[in-house]
Amino acid sequence: MNRDSGDDLTFGRKVVGGLIGAINNTHSVGAYQHATSQSAATDEATEQLLSAVRELRADLQRVRATEQTAALAEALAEAEEEITTTGQAGPARRERLRELLSDSQALVSILASAGGLAGLLGM
């Protein structure tokens, strides 16, 4: 499968870039809706985030463990628990995941699930 579209961007950068744009919009909509009322759009965004968190957790089990991947795995487990318990991931939790993903740029480039989560977090 040829993933080169001639625009000098790798497949991973396209996935991350596309998801970042989508998540920036989702996050701002979700923040507004949360401030006004609970809605179906907020639930959908949260479900997407939960799915991305779970997918990356599963993929992390397939890579060699490092301090970075261990910290990321722990933060992902906490995020999953928070989402399943409260129905959302708070701003502090999202920021922590952004920081860990930012510190793991090589991982984001390799694992599509990491790129997907980065996009959902507005990176």
Side-chain angles (χ1 to χ4, degrees):
M1 171 191 255
N2 185 2
R3 295 180 183 212
D4 181 17
S5 62
D7 57 8
D8 295 329
L9 293 174
T10 64
F11 177 73
R13 291 193 188 277
K14 288 179 190 175
V15 169
V16 171
L19 289 173
I20 288 171
I23 294 314
N24 281 338
N25 291 336
T26 301
H27 180 60
S28 60
V29 168
Y32 172 75
Q33 289 172 338
H34 183 267
T36 58
S37 68
Q38 188 70 13
S39 72
T42 301
D43 291 343
E44 183 178 332
T46 301
E47 285 299 319
Q48 289 175 346
L49 181 61
L50 180 59
S51 177
V53 164
R54 287 176 172 163
E55 185 176 348
L56 181 52
R57 284 189 73 198
D59 284 348
L60 282 178
Q61 293 177 4
R62 297 177 188 97
V63 298
R64 184 174 47 110
T66 66
E67 286 182 33
Q68 287 179 323
T69 60
L72 181 56
E74 182 179 337
L76 290 167
E78 291 168 356
E80 183 176 351
E81 182 178 347
E82 182 177 3
I83 293 168
T84 57
T85 302
T86 68
Q88 64 181 349
R93 178 82 55 214
R94 289 173 180 258
E95 184 56 36
R96 177 71 178 138
L97 289 172
R98 279 187 206 97
E99 290 172 6
L100 290 168
L101 286 171
S102 180
D103 290 345
S104 303
Q105 282 300 311
L107 187 64
V108 171
S109 297
I110 294 170
L111 296 175
S113 59
L117 180 58
L120 289 169
L121 293 170
M123 295 180 63

